[in-house]
Amino acid sequence: YGYDSNVNLNSSHRGDGFFQETMEGSFKFDRPTLPLNLWPGQLGVNWYSEFYNYENTESLNYQTTTVGIFTEEKFNERVKLRLAYDWTVLRYLNNDQLNYFGHKFKPTLSYYLSKTLSCNFFTSYELKDYRDRKTLDATNLPTTDGRNDNYYELGLSPRYYPTDKTYIGLTVAAKLNDSSDVYHDTNDYQGWKAKGFVYLK
């Protein structure tokens, strides 16, 4: 349970409480040995669902589910490549203009400088295909074309393992959203992010 101080992201600064539930899971397994397998690898599946309900602003209540598949290719002791595809369904219970299907592709290259230090280089592309929303033209009128957003991200993540039970990480990335809406390019944006963590096992 939490509180959002600006639900609509506008100058009214209307706040509201919300209840959020999340469920997630994943598993991976060694890839079966085939004649063309030149290096060891693993396959896996991820699943994530979220339910988000505001107390009063019911138009923004939503449900989302993401199912992902991935493969991890270990070329040698220092280099590993992860290829991932995620399929997402986002559904707003009282606002069908925000519903979309998402398709995300994300390759990540990991390089291990030593047993205690590594770095991940990643990029991603996501297509958001809005099911009921139409593209806006230059005069702010809907067209007959469905709206699509193209989302790009590029970043790196160094990781430090001072002991076998301690993990320290940092991620920095740049992102860009290119929407098919042309009215003042309202939905186009650029962003940067930085986040970190310390994990004690």
Side-chain angles (χ1 to χ4, degrees), residues 31-172:
R31 186 176 57 213
T33 302
L34 299 173
L36 295 179
N37 286 351
L38 302 178
W39 47 76
Q42 292 185 312
L43 301 174
V45 177
N46 293 322
W47 168 68
Y48 176 84
S49 288
E50 181 179 38
F51 304 89
Y52 206 99
N53 296 299
Y54 282 101
E55 289 182 337
N56 300 305
T57 317
E58 296 182 352
S59 63
L60 295 180
N61 294 346
Y62 69 82
Q63 300 172 348
T64 182
T65 295
T66 297
V67 178
I69 57 175
F70 63 88
T71 177
E72 293 181 351
E73 309 296 325
K74 188 175 181 180
F75 299 130
N76 53 50
E77 293 302 317
R78 289 186 177 271
V79 181
K80 183 172 67 174
L81 177 65
R82 176 187 171 106
L83 301 172
Y85 165 73
D86 292 340
W87 180 72
T88 299
V89 178
L90 178 66
R91 177 175 174 260
Y92 279 80
L93 305 182
N94 301 298
N95 189 349
D96 62 2
Q97 295 299 296
L98 298 177
N99 299 341
Y100 69 79
F101 292 113
H103 305 274
K104 183 177 181 180
F105 303 90
K106 183 178 180 180
T108 302
L109 183 67
S110 299
Y111 184 76
Y112 294 83
L113 290 86
S114 67
K115 291 184 177 180
T116 60
L117 184 63
S118 69
C119 190
N120 298 331
F121 304 90
F122 66 89
T123 184
S124 70
Y125 166 72
E126 182 176 10
L127 170 65
K128 295 180 180 179
D129 182 10
Y130 287 84
R131 300 184 313 194
D132 301 298
R133 192 167 183 170
K134 300 301 181 183
T135 299
L136 298 177
D137 64 16
T139 61
N140 200 25
L141 294 176
T143 69
T144 58
D145 299 325
R147 176 180 157 182
N148 293 316
D149 281 21
N150 295 285
Y151 179 87
Y152 306 89
E153 188 171 1
L154 178 67
L156 60 90
S157 303
R159 299 284 187 262
Y160 178 52
Y161 322 99
T163 71
D164 59 351
K165 294 186 177 181
T166 305
Y167 306 86
I168 301 172
L170 172 69
T171 297
V172 292

